[in-house]
Amino acid sequence: MMKYNRAEKYDQYMELMMGPNPVKLEEELMKGHKIPQGATVMDLGCGRGLTSLFLVKEYGFRVFATDLWCSPTENKKFFDRVGLSSEQIIPLRVDANELPFAGNFFDAVISIDSYHYFGRDPRFLSEKILPVIKHGGYLYIAIPGMKKDCHHDLPQELLLAWDAEQLDFIHDISYWRNVISQTEDAEIISIHEMQSNEECWQDWIQCNNEYAKGDRKIMEAGGGKYLNFIAIILKRR
């Protein structure tokens, strides 16, 4: 059982969660990472900035905190409140399909609980993400998944709060390996099931977020047995 010694220091900010505990997911994903301290990284789909804070504080990265739906102004207020400077972190409203960055700009891109929304098209990785990462740079992804794809016969437990369209964002390791392997310039370091599934879901459904209340029905009915989190670690050739 993994111990989340880094993530536990951020329990005071859990009201910023927008899904299963993203800081624990990030800590597990980044275990043994190869990104140098001081690297310039993009937190793609940063939500309300919790994962970006974690990347600055725990790993010493310079972070571009990007999200399409969450306000960069509100995120900046949060970053100011916790003492991060504009040299350490830059909040931006960014569409993952229209990244406004120069080629070879980032040492790494890190994405927690968001890549499954925009990365299912095999062309997305090669056309949108890899070009902004330096050759030899990394892409670290953590996404919700299924232990085994069951879209042909969706369990009733999962349908208590989600519909088939929402569940179409969630797939198994084989699906993601097939999507990623179609990009020649991406070296697969690892695609594997994460340890943190149950613990991260429990943290989420215990909070007062309205979306968490809906997800609670699924977990209390045993829907978690169909789900996992998947780590995808890639290197740009």
Side-chain angles (χ1 to χ4, degrees), residues 177-188:
R177 187 174 293 277
N178 177 60
V179 170
I180 299 299
S181 63
Q182 296 180 52
T183 301
E184 293 182 359
D185 290 338
E187 176 187 349
I188 297 175

Side-chain angles (χ1 to χ4, degrees), residues 75-89:
N75 281 351
K76 184 179 185 304
K77 290 178 183 178
F78 169 58
F79 300 145
D80 289 344
R81 177 160 60 90
V82 296
L84 297 185
S85 72
S86 58
E87 294 181 356
Q88 294 172 295
I89 196 160

Side-chain angles (χ1 to χ4, degrees), residues 1-8 23-32 54 59 194-196 199:
M1 180 72 91
M2 180 168 172
K3 299 292 185 183
Y4 298 94
N5 297 322
R6 292 176 183 259
E8 288 173 354
V23 183
K24 287 182 178 177
L25 288 171
E26 194 158 59
E27 180 172 359
E28 180 178 349
L29 178 68
M30 297 296 289
K31 188 175 181 180
F54 191 74
Y59 304 102
M194 301 179 73
Q195 300 176 36
S196 46
E199 186 166 348

Side-chain angles (χ1 to χ4, degrees), residues 2 5 7 14 33 62 64 70-71 78 86 89 96 98 104 110 119 133 138 147 171 178 181-182 196 200 233:
M2 180 168 172
N5 297 322
M14 287 300 102
H33 75 86
R62 177 180 181 235
F64 283 73
C70 292
S71 164
F78 169 58
S86 58
I89 196 160
E98 298 178 5
N104 306 306
I110 299 164
I133 302 175
Y138 291 91
K147 292 183 181 295
H171 291 274
N178 177 60
S181 63
Q182 296 180 52
S196 46
C200 290
I233 303 172

Side-chain angles (χ1 to χ4, degrees), residues 131-166:
V132 303
I133 302 175
K134 297 174 182 177
H135 293 281
Y138 291 91
L139 176 57
Y140 282 79
I141 299 167
I143 47 174
M146 290 181 172
K147 292 183 181 295
K148 186 172 182 178
D149 268 15
C150 53
H151 294 280
H152 63 289
D153 185 20
L154 290 170
Q156 288 303 307
E157 297 95 321
L158 299 183
L159 294 171
L160 288 172
W162 303 336
D163 59 29
E165 183 177 357
Q166 291 170 309

Side-chain angles (χ1 to χ4, degrees), residues 209-227:
N209 187 290
E210 287 299 316
Y211 291 103
K213 293 177 182 178
D215 293 345
R216 193 177 300 149
K217 299 176 184 177
I218 293 172
M219 294 301 149
E220 290 177 347
K225 65 178 176 285
Y226 301 103
L227 305 174

Side-chain angles (χ1 to χ4, degrees), residues 16 18 22 26 42-53 55 63-72 75 79 89-94 110-114 118:
L16 298 177
M18 298 178 68
E26 194 158 59
M42 173 167 50
D43 185 0
L44 179 61
C46 69
R48 297 170 70 188
L50 185 54
T51 51
S52 301
L53 167 67
L55 292 173
V63 176
F64 283 73
T66 67
D67 198 275
L68 179 59
W69 302 113
C70 292
S71 164
N75 281 351
F79 300 145
I89 196 160
I90 301 94
L92 296 169
R93 189 183 299 278
V94 165
I110 299 164
S111 184
I112 307 296
D113 198 6
S114 63
F118 40 72

